[in-house]
Amino acid sequence: MARRRYETAHEQFRDACREFLTREVVPYHARWERDGIVDREVWRKAGKAGLLGIGVAPEYGGGGERDFRYPAVFAQEIMWARATAPGFVAHNDVIAGYLSERTTEEQRARWLPGLCSGELIAAIAMSEPDAGSDVADIRTTAVRDGDGYVLNGQKTFVTNGENSDVVLVAAKTAPERGAQGISLLVVERGAPGFTRGRRMEKLGWHASDTCELFFDDCRIPAENLIGKENAGLAYLMAGLPRERLSIATVAVGAAERMLADTLEYARTRQAFGQTIGTFQHNRFQLATMDTELTVAQVFLDHCVTELNAGRLSVTDAAKAKWWTTELQMDMANRCLQLHGGFGYLKESAISREWANARVQTIYGGTTEVMKELIGRSLGL
């Protein structure tokens, strides 16, 4: 059922993604997990393979493909390869969108070719030590000074934070206006006053470099402002449905891989003279997960169709985000249980899936925030 929405061109793109991941990612991924960061060279290879900037206009080196099914296929194949997803997803599905749609011609010409080729790696910096899901609480400020801005503050949990060359930063340009005084600005590698903190050690997604960013009287040119001053919150709210759908796509892709692996294990692992999948409890567990996954796939398909048509609502994106990520986490727990002691080994694939799944219900808006949004849509 999950493949009905894909056409021949999408399946050809899937083959290209799978071939690239098999050749350029899978052989090196264990080392990247140990190092806590991927090699920059793989970004350049991904760009050469046409896997970056899928939705960016061709004149800037992108694929010019607005159909979300293409980045969805890439995310699915990353998960099927058991590789690290957040870095590529953030670069392709989040930052590239802002830098395509909210920028001037000069800005697009300056940044987009590098993002598409992999020469430039992108990050978005919103969360702070004292501000997470509620972006209105951010304390980072950007004060206009002559022909530029002076940025002061700290960001945390930044995906691609260490590797990044361009960072989309949310800062308050009019603090007295609260959430309505937020702007988006690009900080480039080497900007005076811009430093990076330690590489954060996380429970999962070890190959995804995550760190803190510091701005101490960081000077950036005025032409690095994205869109209009004090319009940042509106831009972020407009971009969140796509970001949340990207997270949901990763969640469903991970669940598909976990279920396939667990079914294979259940068909071969013996206990008490029979395969463990033939015990009624285990069979019912697998049947339940298969049903839940099918339901998630169908709703994800619906949301992708709505996004492509420009109709995906904040509410439906919130539903997709919380439901699929909670399912991913729950399935990781149940699949690990079915793997028994082998599942608890750090070297096992399911243990890594279990660890990776945990953050999915947190970033991009926690499950609780998603339910709050949905509740408000009900007039509550």
Side-chain angles (χ1 to χ4, degrees), residues 221-236:
E223 52 266 30
N224 281 23
L225 173 70
I226 301 301
K228 297 180 180 179
E229 195 172 89
N230 301 324
L233 183 65
Y235 298 154
L236 291 171

Side-chain angles (χ1 to χ4, degrees), residues 111-146:
W111 295 317
L112 289 179
L115 263 65
C116 294
S117 69
E119 293 298 324
L120 297 180
I121 300 171
I124 186 167
M126 289 175 34
S127 294
E128 298 181 3
D130 296 315
S133 296
D134 187 359
V135 70
D137 279 348
I138 65 171
R139 299 180 182 179
T140 298
T141 60
V143 177
R144 186 63 186 260
D145 182 47

Side-chain angles (χ1 to χ4, degrees), residues 312-324:
L312 181 63
S313 67
V314 171
T315 302
D316 275 356
K319 291 176 181 178
K321 197 274 177 183
W322 90 257
W323 179 263
T324 58

